[in-house]
Amino acid sequence: MLSISTRPGRSFIGRLTKGDDLLQALEKFCEEHNITLGEVRALGAVTKARVGFYNQEERKYYFLDFDQPLEILALVGNVSLKDGKPMVHAHVTLADHEGRAIGGHLAPGAPVFACEFAIHEYQADQTLNRANDPETGLMLWPAS
Ligand code: ZN
């Protein structure tokens, strides 16, 4: 198990631009504001979406494409460093026109229709850098 102690940093609230790629726009915001550790929340709607499911046996992501307008019921994510740059790791729950929920690991390929986000930065004495985790095959924070 790993945990680090954090202190509140800056907080931001805003909206993304229609047509932005949801994940890439959040990462760009973090890069532009030098946010290297934090959490992200958002809600709104996308015109379509691409989410991943990690097959634990095969250690491989499978991507699901939903080519239809969807509500973003909840996006929860965090910000840390990967290859020295801020990376947003986010999961989304989305709903279709009948209210049915789908979701997964947010991938590029979800254009924003409207999106309101909040980002809370954390200050810490150390950084969290993602690296390959041999036990899972995922890019995770160090285990200790
Ligand atoms: Zn994930």
Side-chain angles (χ1 to χ4, degrees):
M1 179 177 168
L2 162 92
S3 73
I4 65 171
S5 176
T6 64
R7 302 174 297 282
R10 296 167 295 169
S11 285
F12 300 87
I13 190 163
R15 62 168 278 202
L16 300 178
T17 303
K18 187 174 184 289
D20 278 354
D21 183 88
L22 179 56
L23 179 63
Q24 291 170 345
L26 292 170
E27 276 184 346
K28 187 166 171 236
F29 184 91
C30 292
E31 267 186 57
E32 287 174 356
H33 293 82
N34 197 29
I35 301 165
T36 59
L37 190 63
E39 65 173 280
V40 184
R41 276 179 266 169
L43 72 167
V46 290
T47 54
K48 62 179 184 171
R50 176 164 234 242
V51 297
F53 175 84
Y54 190 71
N55 183 307
Q56 297 172 10
E57 288 289 313
E58 298 176 27
R59 295 177 166 226
K60 181 179 163 198
Y61 270 105
Y62 284 88
F63 290 94
L64 302 166
D65 289 293
F66 297 98
D67 196 10
Q68 58 184 307
L70 297 157
E71 295 287 319
I72 306 166
L73 302 184
L75 177 154
V76 293
N78 56 47
V79 188
S80 60
L81 291 173
K82 183 183 166 198
D83 301 326
K85 284 173 54 178
M87 178 195 149
V88 172
H89 179 203
H91 287 192
V92 283
T93 308
L94 304 162
D96 70 10
H97 68 288
E98 292 183 316
R100 288 181 300 226
I102 52 164
H105 173 100
L106 179 63
V112 168
F113 183 76
C115 179
E116 299 167 350
F117 67 90
I119 297 179
H120 300 285
E121 180 189 46
Y122 298 138
Q123 303 286 345
D125 295 332
Q126 62 188 102
T127 56
L128 281 181
N129 292 285
R130 292 189 178 275
N132 184 267
D133 173 63
E135 275 192 286
T136 62
L138 291 166
M139 294 296 286
L140 298 180
W141 297 329
S144 59

